[in-house]
Amino acid sequence: MWVLLSVRTTIGETVVGLERPIVLVALPLAVLALGLLVRYRASGTASARSRQLLLASRIVVATLVVVAAAGPFTVVTMETQGDPSVSVLVDRSNSTDVSPAVADDLADDIEAEGVPTTVSTIAQGTDSRVGDGIAANLRENGSVVVVSDGQVTGGQSLAETAEYARSLNATISTVSPHPTQTERYVTLAGPSKASTGVESQFLVQVSGVQATDPVGVTVSVDGQPVASDRIDDGTGSVAVAHTFEDTGSHRITAELDGEDTFEINDVARKTIRVVDRPRVLYVSRGEYPLQEYLGQLYDVETAESVPADLDPYYAVVVQNVAAEDLGNVDELQRFVIDGNGLLMVGGPNGFENGNYDNSSVASMLPVTLGESTQGSARIVLLIDVSESAGDGMRIQKAVVLDALSQLGDENTVGVVGFNHEAYRVSDPVPLSEGRGETEDRIRRLQAGGATDIANGLRGAEEMLGDQRGTIILVSDGRDTKSRSAVVANSLGRQGIRVIAVAAGENVNEGVLRRVADESGGNYFRADETDRLRLLFGGGSRQFEGDGLTVVDSGHFITNGVALESDPGQVNDVSIRPGADFLVAGADGTPAVASWRYGLGRVTTITTYGEDGGLDGLLGQPDSLLVTKSANYAIGDPERKATGVTDVSDTRVSEPTTIIYRGSSPPSGTDLSFSATDEGVYRATVTPTTPGFETVAGATYAANYPAEYAGFGTSPALTEAVRTTDGRQFEEDEATEIATFARQQSTRVRDVRQSWDWALLTAALLVFLAEVIVRRLQVYKGRTQTESGLP
């Protein structure tokens, strides 16, 4: 549903507004048309005074109809009465066994306070669909008390449940007994694929409750211990490095030796598929350290120019080669379009220095040559003014004003505020003319209402109209139900990208990152708004950095990368529309960029040192950027192989997908494979017990159920209580719960009333009154005209 930007104001304690104020533009046109109609043939029998009275009555009718079409409404605060009662919702799932069972005694104590109480079980065993259970028991203007740790393993999230509660004017309160038993759980993270002879990094994480005693951790590969450590604080992490020499699937386990409540989660399992090093062609006419560095990771062959046959390779790396020396550029284009990769590394002979602009290779690159002539961008600042901003609204305003200060004067900027609806704050104007007024309107924003990022995005889209542009979303991301990612994806397909900027307290980064990713935009933290200068600074807001700056930390290449070195020089390039701007040089020039070309991937590294090489980028920790740039270009190191099975690790009772690439489905298995593409077959399997399983030649890990991967009160449950104006009670506060129930039976809520029906009724009455008066004139003989005009 499209959201029209409404307007509203406050008169006393009543909010008065229009849903569709744009309709009012029809009023002067209607008045003009009526004036011309009434004056038509003014020389007739009716007097001038009669025509004036007719015109006045018709204007009144037209005004009432147009205002009704604009959607008039009021919002008033009212009290609603109800009978006090308490619905106790009990989570009896296994994760709550580490805390005392208090629900039944609590319900009896509340009943003793004179408040009717019902008890319902909403989760048990390993099925913790707590959100679904709460939602099923919510009633309009009602209140529930949830006895749970809030560890959800399926169904709707607690954030979605909280928004549903708000729509019913219901509250969610909790009693979360404190854990009294020791419980730990272990997880194991690391790559799913690796090359032979290349070191792989794994991270063992030990978490839990009431876990203060030291615990030992042992990591094994294929049943053989490879590392052991002791965590003195009882919880923490252990990093493990291992180099695999044999190809195939390998089984990795991390096991705890301490005692606790559950044994099932004392072992974490993971598989890794080790493959031969992918073949990479390194093309250069000089000797640079990058060649040796790549040789440590891949099967590298060298050449001075691109040969006529690139089929044996997964990627081509070109370093500091002029266009006339590149060799077979047509073969290189075909190679990338067919799904392979290119890493183009600059230098004194590359890009603008190598006459790339006169070569077809330029069309393959995510950058253009020379300084860009940045024109005016159309930008909508989309500001979260919902109640979740609350006291943090000052943070939101500060972040928005800082973001605005990064935008060049040549940009055209409008402002939309949103909570559960979108509101036009400032029409799009060039910042060279309206920067001051735009800042003033932002400073006057007030917070209130629920959060619906999807409606905000639709409002920003409406402000952009039929033109492409950029939406800069400033929010805490605490969107509890909207299909924001779906709307963002739709915007991206229209050429509208969303740059999400985190602002406020308790930011939900996951929501904001997904919105940015779905639209092809970027995600910035509140302290990273200076990155906007790189994208929209123009001539009036030049970026001034200190060395290399990561622009998009959410991309595969830059995620987890820390940059400390600065080679010092950058080729004169600009980002191409549609490409990913990943790293900027000190002056804002794209130092690393990427994009998809055909079915393949292309990455450019345009920064270099005095010797033409990558200088400190090949040392720790910067070398990760180079490694991930090459890995991005290579893609799946098994994509050229057939008879290969891919399967992801999973948990007990959670399905995983098996993908087989070959001329026909794999044999010797009970699974049912279906063809999804030429030479590609798919099946699913759901494990019932923890361990390792092998299917179609590939091994996957089935870890313990998600029920045993979280203990103690979930932050999501605490947030649900806050956003619904509930309370967090202790297990001995039955009296306080009863008192709260009595208070909640008298609720204060906002009641919205539409008045279009009243205006339409008034318009009809005025019209009928005018017609009746004229007919009476004819009846009494005061006029001789059929119209009744004297």
Side-chain angles (χ1 to χ4, degrees), residues 130 134 148-152 157-162 172-174 176 179 185 207-209 478 480 505-509 709-724 727-728:
V130 178
I134 296 174
S148 171
D149 56 8
Q151 300 291 344
V152 178
S157 68
L158 289 174
E160 293 172 320
T161 303
I172 300 174
S173 298
T174 61
S176 298
Y185 60 97
S207 307
V209 293
R478 283 151 68 181
T480 52
E505 302 171 356
N506 301 319
V507 171
N508 188 334
E509 287 194 0
F711 298 87
T713 303
S714 164
L717 182 59
T718 302
E719 179 64 14
V721 172
R722 191 196 68 80
T723 57
T724 61
R727 290 270 303 276
Q728 289 182 283

Side-chain angles (χ1 to χ4, degrees), residues 313-334:
Y313 308 107
Y314 284 80
V316 174
V317 179
V318 178
Q319 183 172 19
N320 196 29
V321 178
E324 61 182 5
D325 297 325
L326 278 174
N328 197 326
V329 175
D330 290 341
E331 171 65 9
L332 184 61
Q333 280 188 308
R334 181 202 63 79

